[in-house]
Amino acid sequence: MGLFSFLKKKSDTPADEELLVVDTRLRAGEPSRLESEAERERQRAIARATAAKIDEIELEMSSAIFDDEPAWGSTARRPAAAAAVPEPAPGLDELPDAAAVPATAPAVEEGAILYANGQAAAAESLLRDSLADFGRIERLPWWMLFDLYQATGQGARFESIAIDYASHFETSPPAWQPPPPAQDVPQLTGVAATESFGPVLDGGIAPRLQRLLAAHAPLVRVDVGAVRSADATGCTLLLKALQTLRKEGRELVLAGADALMATLRPMLAVGDRTAGEAPWLLLLELLLLSNREKDFEESAMDYCVTFELSPPSFETPRHVSTAAPAPVAGDRFLLPPLALGECAALLDAVDAYAEGREILVLDCSRLARMDYACATALQGRLRAHTEQQRRVELRDLNHVVAALLRLLGYTHDEGGAGIRLYPHRY
């Protein structure tokens, strides 16, 4: 609740006055009425309800503010007055190409080249050195380091700079998302099955969920960012589908989880069983898949108090990652974790995927590294598709690979259409 931290400084609210009275009574040796279990539970419920409401408002405001930020890598800053009264956020289709602006610091370009050549340690050193100057005002080198550490499995270093990032920018740090197991790497390529849900989550989603469960695809993407209302039936169906995908060990990308959780939370209140168990259990599943153990445990306790039942146990998710919602529906082509060399087989598979499509969406959520040779070959092949008036998008790029593709001129196609790059959001 960073946007509302100023609320903590006020002392003239009824709640603060009540706490002041309690503190005065305690100093005087009088018994406090908060000592009773019922009163403590009442205060706890009020606090949680208030926090949930503030989280919901903050999510909407932070989304609007983020969408109105200058393009990534730009040194332009938005005036302070604009932050106080944000303009309505544009639709996702109207957002500028976040990766189209060239990098503004040599460290960004050199770090991207070093990493593409397999020199991760040298790239890391260069990017870390840039945090003291370029990184003081820009977040891009931080994001590149986060992605480098995640791609190379350096969890301890990730957590270390996450603390510095949160302190410097006064915002929540990104969550650690470990890379997929090495034994699964060769299988992660091909057409990925995708379904988007919303604005209503109800019984009508059953056929699309069945399609996902039956799909023989290397990866399944579930986008719930457009959901604005839900009923018990829809929550039950989605919950069972997500649990099945997780227990089967299927590769899963969950997009828009925060938006769906913001929709579910106002439906839930501690001690109130009106909404039924399904929305509570779906919220817990979304927290588990997002690897938010602390939030999971707190919500699990609320579920236990409300239904007097043992809550589910937290299990660290495997083969699961989260992403921002995307405006383009339909199946995607999943790029492999490593794209190296001339990559002729990969390029032929992309061509096969393109047949009969007007929009090509390459899913880069599992792409850890692409070298110069493959990036150049892929650019030539994709340019041929843009010349045929096809729209080409690379979605959920990590920021190190995105910096390399910008440097190669991916977004400045001579044909005018260009190739759109969409790095994932932090």
Side-chain angles (χ1 to χ4, degrees), residues 41 44 48 261 265 268-271 277 279-288 292-315:
E41 184 59 33
R44 181 169 176 267
R48 287 192 179 279
M261 286 189 278
R265 287 187 186 278
L268 312 177
V270 178
E277 290 187 58
W280 284 91
L281 294 174
L282 178 57
L283 174 64
L284 291 173
E285 184 69 15
L286 294 172
L287 290 170
L288 187 154
R292 293 162 59 173
E293 184 173 3
K294 181 179 179 181
D295 292 338
F296 178 95
E297 296 298 343
E298 291 179 355
S299 296
M301 182 60 66
D302 291 340
Y303 168 84
C304 177
V305 170
T306 300
F307 294 98
E308 300 180 356
L309 295 171
S310 297
S313 300
F314 183 84
E315 301 175 9

Side-chain angles (χ1 to χ4, degrees), residues 8-259:
K8 300 177 182 178
K9 299 178 181 179
K10 296 185 179 181
S11 60
D12 57 348
T13 63
D16 288 332
E17 290 176 357
E18 182 175 349
L19 291 176
L20 180 61
V21 171
V22 171
D23 182 66
T24 303
R25 289 179 177 177
L26 290 174
R27 293 176 182 275
E30 299 178 19
S32 169
R33 63 188 180 87
L34 290 179
E35 291 177 354
S36 70
E37 186 64 30
E39 182 61 24
R40 283 200 299 271
E41 184 59 33
R42 189 181 74 85
Q43 293 290 341
R44 181 169 176 267
I46 293 173
R48 287 192 179 279
T50 303
K53 184 62 177 177
I54 291 176
D55 284 343
E56 180 184 357
I57 298 173
E58 183 181 6
L59 176 63
E60 296 177 1
M61 292 185 64
S62 60
S63 297
I65 292 170
F66 186 92
D67 288 346
D68 196 39
E69 284 286 352
W72 291 338
S74 168
T75 56
R77 312 306 297 172
R78 188 175 63 251
V85 184
E87 294 294 328
L92 287 174
D93 279 324
E94 300 170 0
L95 289 177
D97 182 356
V101 178
T104 56
V108 169
E109 298 178 351
E110 294 172 17
I113 294 172
L114 288 170
Y115 180 74
N117 291 337
Q119 299 173 273
E124 175 197 354
S125 177
L126 189 65
L127 290 169
R128 288 193 74 105
D129 290 343
S130 75
L131 298 183
D133 41 52
F134 183 62
R136 290 180 61 190
I137 58 173
E138 291 294 340
R139 305 189 186 197
L140 182 56
W142 295 84
W143 294 342
M144 292 174 71
L145 275 170
F146 285 138
D147 287 337
L148 185 152
Y149 288 144
Q150 294 200 106
T152 54
Q154 301 184 64
R157 295 190 177 186
F158 179 98
E159 297 298 340
S160 176
I161 70 160
I163 295 173
D164 296 337
Y165 177 83
S167 174
H168 182 73
F169 293 104
E170 298 182 350
T171 188
S172 299
W176 165 254
Q177 293 282 352
Q183 65 269 22
D184 295 340
V185 167
Q187 304 173 14
L188 297 181
T189 208
V191 179
T194 303
E195 281 291 349
S196 299
F197 300 97
V200 179
L201 196 69
D202 57 18
I205 67 174
R208 286 180 287 162
L209 289 174
Q210 187 59 40
R211 170 186 172 273
L212 285 180
L213 294 174
H216 298 289
L219 179 142
V220 173
R221 179 186 174 92
V222 179
D223 193 329
V224 293
V227 176
R228 296 295 177 265
S229 65
D231 63 20
T233 301
C235 290
T236 299
L237 290 171
L238 181 59
L239 171 65
K240 290 182 178 179
L242 293 176
Q243 289 176 333
T244 298
L245 292 170
R246 175 167 58 87
K247 292 175 182 178
E248 289 179 352
R250 301 277 294 275
E251 288 291 334
L252 172 65
V253 172
L254 180 62
D258 284 344

Side-chain angles (χ1 to χ4, degrees), residues 398-422:
N398 77 45
H399 292 276
V400 194
V401 175
L404 174 70
L405 301 188
R406 286 196 300 267
L407 184 60
L408 291 176
Y410 261 62
T411 56
H412 299 285
D413 185 14
E414 294 177 358
I419 301 167
R420 302 187 180 191
L421 307 181
Y422 293 91

